Amino acid sequence: MSNRHPTLTKSFAERAKDASHPLSAYLFRLMDLKASNLCLSADVHTARDLLHVADKLGPSIVVLKTHYDLISGWDYNPQTGTGAKLAALARKHGFLIFEDRKFVDIGKTVQMQYTSGTARIIDWAHITNANIDAGKDMVRAMAEAAAKWKERIHYEVKTSVTVGTPVSDQFEDGEEMQTDDQSRPKLEPSQLSSSQSSRESRDVDGRKGSIVSITTVTQSFESVDSPRLSKTTGLAEGDDILFPGIEEPPMDRGLLLLAQMSSKGCLMTKDYTQACVEAARENKGFVMGYVAQECLNQAPDDTFIHMTPGCKLPPEGEEENGHVEGDGLGQQYNTPAKLIGICGTDIVIVGRGIINADDPHSEAERYRRKAWKAYLARLG
């Protein structure tokens, strides 16, 4: 199956034109631009280390995979916190953020977990994933939540405050300022100032006093797609640097379905994997593709992207496609050449193989080169 589907012989640039999801199209273009199909799994434990790794290794990768809930010191401030700083680094170095949350629950619960709570994952993570053991309706619920999130985001362009006091030359000759309810302009509650409220109290003789101060607040908003939308509010100077050669990613959010895993004894059956394929097809506007061990594109119009964990290279100098030992805790490894060339994945996910290296930057580049070489070989 994996060596027959048309997507396996198309370049990423070509697949960008056929992608059903805007974020997939962007990612394919980014991969082509950076000559990279590498995702870094940021297996670190502190927010400081996470940001350091993202900054130093960002040039080599196209996706950064996170587990926010294992990071100590995560700053939840939506404008200046860890998520916002990661987003700034993603713009600077040209990569997407993939929060490996593995949602699995009833629809209403996952909607709230995704869009609210402490982390507000949807605000800073371009991509997340889900295990659909809870049923395919959960995917639809997340898609609805993402659509509503995009619709309701607005950016305050301008706030003007006007404070004024009526003066005599505002009236025609011989006209006196009226104080009864019929002649006084009716103001909305939001326009009444505390000063005005206090001055509208009755005088000692029972008559209402005159309005002597009016405060008007005017706010203008633009939609999330506005080119003037600021994404760096509250961040340090220089955090608004944009990776050259490509625009910012679309504000759409994407989902990867956890269809297969690399761990020994995984209980995900063929029927479960097929249900993932069906759910992806039913939600093409939200589902980008899969976390899987092989290409799951089957129908002629399937254009889904695939990411695969459990990727590891033998030490430098050893046989490139030699046997790679597992970690003793169930994780099984394969080389980039096997995962991309034989199994048909698009992006390999590497964590400890890079993070724990003596020179993580050089090792990230080694993985990038090997993965890209395997992709070019697949094209023939």
Side-chain angles (χ1 to χ4, degrees):
M1 174 181 65
S2 63
N3 60 357
R4 295 177 182 171
H5 197 269
T7 55
L8 296 176
T9 56
K10 286 186 176 182
S11 69
F12 293 143
E14 291 176 306
R15 291 176 67 182
K17 301 174 184 177
D18 301 329
S20 59
H21 194 296
L23 206 54
S24 296
Y26 178 89
L27 181 52
F28 281 130
R29 291 171 53 221
L30 184 64
M31 293 158 69
D32 183 67
L33 175 66
K34 296 185 72 174
S36 174
N37 50 345
L38 176 61
C39 168
L40 175 69
S41 181
D43 298 332
V44 296
H45 302 289
T46 69
R48 180 178 179 180
D49 287 343
L50 174 62
L51 296 173
H52 175 77
V53 164
D55 194 21
K56 297 302 180 184
L57 304 184
S60 300
I61 65 175
V62 289
V63 178
L64 178 74
K65 185 170 78 71
T66 61
H67 286 280
Y68 90 88
D69 52 355
L70 64 77
I71 301 295
S72 63
W74 185 281
D75 184 346
Y76 294 101
N77 187 298
Q79 294 182 326
T80 61
T82 306
K85 290 177 179 177
L86 276 179
L89 290 172
R91 290 191 293 274
K92 176 182 177 182
H93 295 301
F95 61 81
L96 299 182
I97 303 169
F98 165 26
E99 168 54 27
D100 189 4
R101 178 62 176 76
K102 299 183 178 72
F103 288 100
V104 55
D105 214 312
I106 62 171
K108 186 62 176 178
T109 298
V110 295
Q111 284 181 333
M112 294 187 292
Q113 290 173 327
Y114 187 31
T115 63
S116 57
T118 52
R120 296 187 61 86
I121 293 169
I122 197 170
D123 284 351
W124 51 269
H126 306 93
I127 306 167
T128 191
N129 60 352
N131 176 326
I132 68 165
D133 273 329
K136 293 190 290 184
D137 282 346
M138 183 193 71
V139 178
R140 178 171 57 83
M142 292 186 68
E144 291 176 359
K148 290 180 180 178
W149 170 83
K150 183 179 177 182
E151 289 174 358
R152 73 170 180 259
I153 288 185
H154 288 84
Y155 173 62
E156 183 179 318
V157 177
K158 181 181 180 182
T159 300
S160 61
V161 180
T162 303
V163 180
T165 302
V167 292
S168 60
D169 59 7
Q170 290 180 296
F171 302 96
E172 298 294 336
D173 291 340
E175 181 183 358
E176 293 185 2
M177 185 175 179
Q178 302 293 322
T179 59
D180 58 84
D181 291 336
Q182 293 181 344
S183 60
R184 181 185 298 120
K186 292 187 179 299
L187 303 176
E188 295 297 325
S190 61
Q191 292 178 295
L192 295 174
S193 68
S194 58
S195 173
Q196 177 181 340
S197 300
S198 63
R199 293 177 187 273
E200 279 207 344
S201 58
R202 293 182 179 273
D203 294 333
V204 293
D205 61 359
R207 294 181 299 172
K208 289 186 177 180
S210 301
I211 298 176
V212 296
S213 177
I214 297 176
T215 301
T216 303
V217 179
T218 303
Q219 292 179 323
S220 302
F221 297 90
E222 290 194 20
S223 68
V224 70
D225 295 319
S226 168
R228 290 181 290 275
L229 176 62
S230 173
K231 302 174 179 64
T232 56
T233 303
L235 296 179
E237 185 177 353
D239 281 346
D240 57 348
I241 298 173
L242 184 62
F243 186 76
I246 195 168
E247 75 283 1
E248 291 196 47
M251 288 301 294
D252 301 79
R253 292 303 188 236
L255 183 71
L256 297 174
L257 298 183
L258 186 61
Q260 298 169 329
M261 292 186 68
S262 56
S263 54
K264 184 178 180 180
C266 175
L267 300 178
M268 292 177 174
T269 65
K270 291 183 178 179
D271 287 342
Y272 167 84
T273 300
Q274 185 58 35
C276 288
V277 172
E278 295 169 3
R281 291 173 180 162
E282 293 167 7
N283 298 274
K284 285 186 176 181
F286 182 52
V287 176
M288 298 172 61
Y290 312 98
V291 175
Q293 293 295 301
E294 61 182 333
C295 176
L296 298 177
N297 288 335
Q298 302 166 6
D301 60 345
D302 283 348
T303 60
F304 299 106
I305 196 167
H306 296 71
M307 302 189 194
T308 303
C311 179
K312 192 172 183 180
L313 283 169
E316 190 96 48
E318 294 188 13
E319 171 59 37
E320 181 177 326
N321 294 316
H323 177 69
V324 182
E325 293 289 343
D327 67 353
L329 296 174
Q331 177 64 296
Q332 302 176 109
Y333 292 110
N334 286 297
T335 64
K338 180 179 179 180
L339 292 175
I340 296 170
I342 299 175
C343 299
T345 194
D346 300 308
I347 295 176
V348 292
I349 302 173
V350 184
R352 287 168 286 179
I354 293 175
I355 297 295
N356 296 337
D358 292 336
D359 185 348
H361 179 266
S362 295
E363 194 69 354
E365 275 297 292
R366 184 165 82 103
Y367 272 93
R368 183 195 63 78
R369 290 193 303 269
K370 297 295 185 182
W372 193 252
K373 179 182 177 181
Y375 153 69
L376 294 177
R378 187 175 79 186
L379 294 180

